[in-house]
Amino acid sequence: YQMVEHNKLTGFGTELVKTVLERMDVKIRSLHVYPWKRAIAMMEKGQPDALFSANYTKERENFVWYPEEPLIQSPWILWVREEDRLKFDSLEDLREKRIGVVRGYSYTSEFLDFIQKFAEIDEVTDDATNFRKLNAGRVDYVAAELGNGYWLLKKLKLKKIIPLRDKPIKSDGLYLIFSKSRISKETAEQFSAELKKFKQEEAYQILCKKYFRLQ
């Protein structure tokens, strides 16, 4: 959704946010990339104006505005090595397994509670590290969002990892969230309305196809 290539910040989320803000006549002064847990902590302190791409949590509503419209809606699933033939029909399948997660991500409490009690958690700072570990056999499962997972498999040229799509951990929207201490609620509502309109246009579909393979 956001990545640095050739010293330039790009990705689906980056292009989408830029496009919608331009349509609102809002100029972006600067864009910065931080580890996710640090970025959330900065938002809580009211340092940046906005942050993307964030899942919804009730706790974050204490310090940010959520637009009604998400940037995109997509399931979070488990990924495995094809050769291991691992399944995920219920949380019991994760018992005593090594699970790769990203520090600061908002998984469901049910999922986190189970793996904290009955599995071995391998916590890292980004999804790419998790997929490399999975490919090397250092974890058994990786929890990651569907579209981002497909993109990373392509980028990292990993061909033996497959998604377990039948049983998502959750389905959630990804949002551009706005600091309550710096940005008005009306701005968040305007962004939501403009985003909703843009999604009806062909340009949005072209942007989705540029980055995702969701079939």
Side-chain angles (χ1 to χ4, degrees), residues 7-175:
N7 296 318
K8 181 181 178 183
L9 183 60
T10 184
F12 173 83
T14 307
E15 288 197 40
L16 182 55
V17 166
K18 282 183 173 181
T19 298
V20 176
L21 290 177
E22 284 173 6
R23 290 163 64 115
M24 294 168 58
D25 293 324
V26 173
K27 186 176 292 186
I28 298 175
R29 185 168 66 249
S30 61
L31 283 171
H32 300 278
V33 180
Y34 297 99
W36 188 251
K37 190 172 183 178
R38 181 181 171 191
I40 291 294
M42 291 172 67
M43 286 297 292
E44 192 167 6
K45 294 174 183 176
Q47 293 173 345
D49 294 315
L51 171 67
F52 63 94
S53 304
N55 294 116
Y56 171 81
T57 70
K58 190 169 182 61
E59 293 74 22
R60 291 175 190 165
E61 282 195 309
N62 292 322
F63 53 91
V64 302
W65 303 115
Y66 274 91
E68 181 183 340
E69 188 70 19
L71 299 174
I72 197 167
Q73 190 91 17
S74 188
W76 288 67
I77 62 171
L78 291 170
W79 304 72
V80 297
R81 288 181 304 279
E82 189 171 15
E83 64 193 56
D84 291 342
R85 300 182 182 276
L86 293 175
K87 62 177 183 173
F88 179 57
D89 293 323
S90 72
L91 290 172
E92 283 296 322
D93 292 319
L94 307 183
R95 190 179 286 270
E96 298 182 0
K97 296 294 193 297
R98 298 164 297 171
I99 316 296
V101 298
V102 175
R103 190 174 299 114
Y105 277 15
S106 57
Y107 307 98
T108 68
S109 57
E110 181 185 19
F111 173 75
L112 282 177
D113 288 347
F114 186 89
I115 63 175
Q116 285 169 352
K117 291 178 182 176
F118 302 112
E120 179 183 338
I121 298 178
D122 193 314
E123 193 176 54
V124 297
T125 58
D126 61 82
D127 286 301
T129 300
N130 261 339
F131 276 91
R132 290 190 184 100
K133 283 189 170 186
L134 179 60
N135 191 64
R138 294 167 60 189
V139 294
D140 300 306
Y141 293 84
V142 160
E145 189 269 337
L146 181 62
N148 189 44
Y150 273 134
W151 173 262
L152 284 170
L153 292 186
K154 179 181 178 182
K155 180 182 179 182
L156 300 175
K157 298 179 180 179
L158 304 178
K159 299 181 179 179
K160 297 181 180 180
I161 295 174
I162 59 172
L164 302 179
R165 296 184 57 170
D166 292 342
K167 295 278 187 177
I169 300 170
K170 66 173 183 176
S171 184
D172 204 353
L174 296 177
Y175 297 83

